Amino acid sequence: MHAVAHVLDSPAPLSVRAGAFLAEHAGRVAGPDDDECRAEMRAALGYCDEQALAALRSAQQRYSGLTHPGPLLGRIVFGPVLEADTGTGRVEFWYAIMNEHPDGVSSGSLLPDGTVLFGLLDVDLPAFPSLDHFVECDALLDFAHRQELLSAEHPESVTDHPAELRRRHPSLRRLERGCRT
């Protein structure tokens, strides 16, 4: 298995926008090493699930310690650690996404296949196919938040904006109505 670079060192395949967002806002804090994770898996399950361990190592190598402001969750920290349910044998990586100041109610965990789960109390639901998708979403929300709001109260801003868009993007065309196919 090849080593995975931390997302701050090599943001690809994230978009340029997400890479710039991380470069401007993100930092890194220390997380558990691979030997500690292996020992925790053996302690919880009695054996080491090598596929789950490889997925955990990959997530940790890419994300452990990453911290940035989240548009929805406040300042967040990525710190995936092993959690195995000895009754079901289900492996999850808890604390994959957590508030810098946890509230004890919400959670962001990761499954070995990369799926991000968000939970409230005891209900966890799939929210993103990967941590990369989550970062893309935060970057896009940050970008949207920084955009100039246009008011519909001033007719000149309503007409000026489309004209400015057409000037900057000559191939842009107005759609008269939506298409249902």
Side-chain angles (χ1 to χ4, degrees), residues 55-73:
L56 176 61
R57 273 193 232 146
S58 179
Q60 286 182 326
Q61 288 171 350
R62 182 151 171 86
Y63 285 102
S64 277
L66 176 68
T67 178
H68 69 73
L72 298 176
L73 301 174

Side-chain angles (χ1 to χ4, degrees), residues 138-154:
D138 270 3
L140 189 56
L141 288 171
D142 177 72
F143 173 77
H145 178 73
R146 291 183 286 113
Q147 298 308 297
E148 178 184 343
L149 297 176
L150 298 176
S151 171
E153 294 177 19
H154 305 292

